């Protein structure tokens, strides 16, 4: 039995704007149902999470708009790069996600795609959208922290 926490993770792609655009309340690790060439393409780092999201449909979770570039050496398989992909989660987690996403303002967005123990995984964040003022406040805090770190570094010399 392998413990997924101790295994090394090879991150394929991240949704860098996610933490800027949303408050991430909770995150879940889910497996992905992929075809062979998609796995090889992901191992080459050819995935993109821009504008992708997850939805629960008939008690199953699906990932929409994730782009996986076609694997150049798989001529025999013709897959849609942005096809809908099924995510593998425990029933308990799916029920929790259903309950939360029915609340106003909550959505599910992928935060990163990675390989853990040879399996392709996606980290799904239960997110609530930020308002413009929240984004400005976060930028101000980041700038202030950077300035304080710069001053601290300068005062050491």
């Amino acid at each position: 039995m392998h413990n997924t926490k101790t295994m090394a993770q090879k991150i394929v792609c991240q949704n860098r704007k996610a933490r800027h655009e949303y408050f991430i309340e909770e995150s879940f690790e889910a497996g992905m149902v992929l075809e062979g060439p998609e796995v090889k393409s992901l191992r080459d780092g050819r995935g993109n999470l821009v504008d992708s999201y997850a939805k629960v449909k008939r008690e199953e979770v699906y990932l929409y708009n994730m782009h996986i570039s076609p694997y150049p050496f798989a001529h025999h398989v013709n897959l849609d790069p942005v096809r809908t992909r099924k995510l593998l989660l425990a029933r308990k987690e799916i029920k929790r996600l259903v309950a939360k996403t029915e609340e106003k303002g909550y959505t599910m967005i992928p935060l990163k795609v990675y390989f853990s123990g040879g399996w392709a995984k996606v980290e799904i964040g239960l997110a609530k959208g930020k308002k413009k003022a929240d984004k400005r406040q976060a930028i101000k805090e980041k700038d202030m922290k950077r300035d304080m770190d710069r001053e601290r570094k300068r005062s050491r010399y």
Side-chain angles (χ1 to χ4, degrees), residues 20-37:
H20 177 70
E21 300 283 331
Y22 300 94
F23 291 114
I24 307 299
E25 306 266 322
E26 228 177 316
S27 63
F28 298 88
E29 180 182 76
M32 281 194 291
V33 177
L34 299 170
E35 300 291 323

Side-chain angles (χ1 to χ4, degrees), residues 5 14 42 51 59 61 67 81 83 86 88 93 101 105 121 124 127 156:
K5 299 289 183 207
Q14 290 183 318
L42 278 179
D51 295 332
E59 295 187 20
V61 182
H67 188 278
R83 73 181 182 87
K86 185 177 174 181
L88 307 170
E93 291 175 327
T101 53
K121 305 280 185 178
I124 297 291
R156 280 190 218 155

Side-chain angles (χ1 to χ4, degrees), residues 5-63:
K5 299 289 183 207
T6 58
M7 289 185 173
Q9 293 181 355
K10 180 189 177 255
I11 296 176
V12 175
C13 58
Q14 290 183 318
N15 190 347
R16 297 188 190 281
K17 282 190 171 183
R19 297 197 191 277
H20 177 70
E21 300 283 331
Y22 300 94
F23 291 114
I24 307 299
E25 306 266 322
E26 228 177 316
S27 63
F28 298 88
E29 180 182 76
M32 281 194 291
V33 177
L34 299 170
E35 300 291 323
E38 289 178 320
V39 176
K40 288 186 174 198
S41 211
L42 278 179
R43 286 195 190 279
D44 283 349
R46 299 163 157 257
N48 191 343
L49 291 173
V50 175
D51 295 332
S52 58
Y53 61 97
K55 254 187 175 175
V56 179
K57 192 175 184 181
R58 287 186 235 113
E59 295 187 20
E60 292 181 336
V61 182
Y62 292 93
L63 184 62

Side-chain angles (χ1 to χ4, degrees), residues 8 11 15 30 32 43 47 50 57 63 74 83-84 89-90 92 94 100 111-112 119 122 127 133 144:
I11 296 176
N15 190 347
M32 281 194 291
R43 286 195 190 279
V50 175
K57 192 175 184 181
L63 184 62
R83 73 181 182 87
T84 302
L89 287 156
K92 198 166 141 183
I94 293 173
K100 278 291 196 176
L111 302 174
K112 65 181 174 181
W119 297 97
V122 61
M144 284 173 46

Side-chain angles (χ1 to χ4, degrees), residues 73-109:
F73 305 109
H75 305 292
H76 62 284
V77 181
N78 191 13
L79 295 171
D80 180 19
V82 290
R83 73 181 182 87
T84 302
R85 294 169 179 89
K86 185 177 174 181
L87 299 181
L88 307 170
L89 287 156
R91 284 270 170 237
K92 198 166 141 183
E93 291 175 327
I94 293 173
K95 286 180 181 176
R96 181 164 172 68
L97 287 170
V98 168
K100 278 291 196 176
T101 53
E102 285 175 352
E103 289 180 33
K104 190 176 188 300
Y106 281 99
T107 186
M108 292 183 293
I109 54 167

